Amino acid sequence: MAKILVVDDEADLELLVKQKFRRKIRENIYEFVFAQNGEEALEKVKEHPDLDIILSDINMPVMDGLTLLSRLPEANPMLKAVMVSAYGDMQNIRTAMNRGAFDFVCKPVDFEDLDLTMEKTIVHVKQLQETIQAIKENNILKMYVDENVLNFMNHKEFETSLLKNELLEASVMFIDVCGFTTITEQIPANTVVNLLNGLFDKIVKEIIAQGGHVDKFMGDAVMAVFRGKYHLDRAIDAALAIKEVLSKSEEIDTGNKMYKAEISIGINSGEMVSGNIGSETIKRLDYTVIGDSVNLAQRLQTVAQAGQIIISEEVYQTAKESFNCEKIGEVKLKNKSHPVVIYQVLE
């Protein structure tokens, strides 16, 4: 249903409009609101934010239609006005169009022509509304979906390649906020969420600064992926930067004791599969990376202590020329048949 504001000081116009459009009113195609001058029209615009179009006369007391046109962008920039006036000379038409009128209909009114003009104007307004809504939804989508996924969705073959995947060399980093589960029992839920979001924001900034992307948030942990040239170096640089940033953060009073945010990190590099994982049937997919190298990165994080950045022997051999590392020794990791030699990245 389209909502239309009619602005005219002719007393019998309201009755005439209701008669001429009675079928569409009855069928809920049109809904009309009426005002007798521009000033009253502005009040109606405030009262009815869901208005779609305005049909306005030019010559009216208090505030004329041309002045109303100049005030509409401030009142409601989405509204479009069609001028309906006996003053159909070129000067008035030009003035009206220059002030933003969508169209001009001359009196005496041909209601069939007016109806066609209204339909055309309503279609235009609805398209504008849909565009604005799409922009809003896209901005919201960007808050929930990684940029790589959005770029993938723009590809022409997106619909037909939903379950396709690719093999790639990359580095994966798992970051856990240490001791966070404990403080959730001591402070209000809303405070917990705000605190965790603040920590995540600091972590994400360093990931992005090194060209990585956040694959997902998992409770109080973050999974990040680094692709392209020097992906391992960039992942370790990001980890060191995150550790440095959080070391400078202030202690938080949880009520019973002070909490100092610390993180434990596991990093691994190698071959992994990238693609959409999930169910096409229920339309729930997760654009992520999987593979043994990804699993190992997560296992390394679980053995890392607060403040540690843990890597495997294989990663150490690649990174040792660029970073100062310390050997910790062999550890037994879940689902690994043999112990794994691990190192700690110091700087």
Side-chain angles (χ1 to χ4, degrees), residues 173-177 199-200 203-204 207 213-224 301:
M173 175 166 63
F174 285 85
I175 310 144
D176 184 71
V177 180
L199 294 174
F200 279 167
I203 291 170
V204 167
I207 293 170
H213 80 268
V214 174
D215 187 279
K216 61 175 68 70
F217 296 99
M218 305 169 294
D220 55 6
V222 182
M223 174 183 171
Q301 182 278 310

Side-chain angles (χ1 to χ4, degrees), residues 95-271:
T95 302
M97 302 306 286
N98 287 335
R99 293 191 184 188
F102 185 78
D103 211 330
F104 200 108
V105 174
C106 294
K107 290 183 178 179
V109 177
D110 178 340
F111 279 91
E112 186 175 337
D113 176 62
L114 177 61
D115 194 16
L116 291 172
T117 303
M118 289 163 59
E119 287 179 358
K120 178 182 68 174
T121 311
I122 290 165
V123 167
H124 177 76
V125 170
K126 295 298 183 185
Q127 289 173 342
L128 283 178
Q129 293 171 347
E130 289 172 3
T131 300
I132 295 298
Q133 182 63 26
I135 292 171
K136 289 179 180 178
E137 290 173 354
N138 187 53
N139 289 336
I140 293 172
L141 183 65
K142 287 179 180 178
M143 296 175 67
Y144 287 91
V145 182
D146 183 80
E147 183 180 358
N148 290 275
V149 181
L150 295 177
N151 291 337
F152 174 75
M153 289 168 64
N154 286 329
H155 293 169
K156 291 181 179 178
E157 65 274 12
F158 169 64
E159 291 289 346
T160 58
S161 62
L162 278 176
L163 297 181
K164 290 183 180 179
N165 52 64
E166 62 174 324
L167 201 62
L168 74 155
E169 285 282 333
S171 294
V172 181
M173 175 166 63
F174 285 85
I175 310 144
D176 184 71
V177 180
C178 301
F180 199 81
T181 303
T182 303
I183 71 167
T184 60
E185 302 172 357
Q186 304 168 18
I187 57 179
N190 191 54
T191 305
V192 170
V193 172
N194 290 336
L195 174 58
L196 190 59
N197 286 343
L199 294 174
F200 279 167
D201 196 45
K202 293 177 181 179
I203 291 170
V204 167
K205 285 179 181 177
E206 301 305 328
I207 293 170
I208 293 173
Q210 293 298 331
H213 80 268
V214 174
D215 187 279
K216 61 175 68 70
F217 296 99
M218 305 169 294
D220 55 6
V222 182
M223 174 183 171
V225 181
F226 296 78
R227 310 181 187 207
K229 291 184 178 180
Y230 305 107
H231 53 80
L232 177 58
D233 283 16
R234 290 187 285 110
I236 296 176
D237 279 335
L240 290 168
I242 291 167
K243 181 179 175 181
E244 176 69 17
V245 166
L246 292 190
S247 70
K248 297 177 181 177
S249 62
E250 297 180 356
E251 288 188 326
I252 300 161
D253 187 356
T254 64
N256 295 331
K257 63 179 182 178
M258 301 301 289
Y259 171 74
K260 176 68 175 178
E262 290 188 291
I263 43 88
S264 60
I265 298 177
I267 298 175
N268 195 37
S269 186
E271 193 175 79

Side-chain angles (χ1 to χ4, degrees), residues 24-38:
K24 290 192 173 183
I25 293 173
R26 188 169 60 248
E27 294 174 357
N28 289 326
I29 296 173
Y30 291 161
E31 178 185 349
F32 289 95
V33 178
F34 297 89
Q36 294 186 340
N37 56 66

Side-chain angles (χ1 to χ4, degrees), residues 317-329:
Q317 295 300 330
T318 304
K320 64 183 179 180
E321 293 184 1
S322 301
F323 299 94
N324 181 19
C325 303
E326 177 184 63
K327 185 176 181 179
I328 294 177

